[in-house]
Amino acid sequence: MGHRLIHTPFLHKHVHSVHHNSVNPSPWSSLSMHPVEQAMFFSASLVHLVLPSHPMIALCSLNWSGTGAIVGHIGFDRIVSADEERAMKTHAYTHYLHHKYFEVTYGDALVPLDKLFGTWHDGTEAGDEAMQKRMRRKRERLAPRGAA
């Protein structure tokens, strides 16, 4: 939800666009962001100042804030081991599509909000067509009346 918030016109133009300069995301680009976005990103760890929790839980939360986005920026859709069944889906491909097109897949497949709001893109031709259709409708809605 927070990621969608920083895609609102003002925050995207002045804050989140720094992160989107990384059109082809990498682990290094996962934390390449404006200081305001960094503050928002790490603010999730502040909950431990309000809710009593064990210091190790707070450290794990801070660690996850710092390294959790790397998995979505590694460029591989799955991390595999010797046992193929234990492969871990990273959803990095959908996040790559987000960096490529900006207005699709704000989240990942685990929480289906993108499917609910019509911003899901899975890399298929059907996903491409749905995105193009949505962008045409948006341009028509924003175009001045009487413009050709």
Side-chain angles (χ1 to χ4, degrees):
M1 195 60 120
H3 191 194
R4 181 63 184 97
L5 173 69
I6 57 179
H7 272 269
T8 55
F10 180 83
L11 286 176
H12 190 273
K13 179 180 179 181
H14 298 289
V15 177
H16 192 54
S17 61
V18 171
H19 179 68
H20 272 280
N21 285 335
S22 302
V23 178
N24 190 9
S26 71
W28 297 110
S29 67
S30 65
L31 289 176
S32 171
M33 54 183 91
H34 190 279
V36 171
E37 187 174 357
Q38 284 278 355
M40 291 169 62
F41 194 72
F42 283 99
S43 68
S45 299
L46 296 177
V47 71
H48 301 288
L49 296 176
V50 179
L51 297 175
S53 57
H54 193 280
M56 288 305 291
I57 301 294
L59 286 173
C60 286
S61 175
L62 186 60
N63 184 42
W64 182 252
S65 291
T67 61
I70 291 174
V71 174
H73 290 83
I74 60 174
F76 298 99
D77 203 37
R78 294 182 327 137
I79 298 173
V80 293
S81 64
D83 182 7
E84 182 71 27
E85 290 181 16
R86 295 181 52 172
M88 182 177 101
K89 289 192 74 61
T90 66
H91 305 285
Y93 181 67
T94 55
H95 196 71
Y96 160 77
L97 290 171
H98 172 71
H99 274 259
K100 182 176 180 183
Y101 298 121
F102 304 118
E103 298 200 21
V104 295
T105 57
Y106 298 100
D108 61 30
L110 296 176
V111 182
L113 292 178
D114 283 307
K115 290 180 182 177
L116 180 69
F117 293 117
T119 55
W120 178 248
H121 193 315
D122 58 0
T124 62
E125 286 185 27
D128 239 11
E129 289 172 17
M131 177 188 68
Q132 295 298 334
K133 184 178 177 182
R134 189 169 50 84
M135 296 307 293
R136 268 194 305 277
R137 284 194 315 259
K138 182 179 179 179
R139 279 193 301 273
E140 290 168 0
R141 203 173 48 245
L142 296 175
R145 295 193 187 267

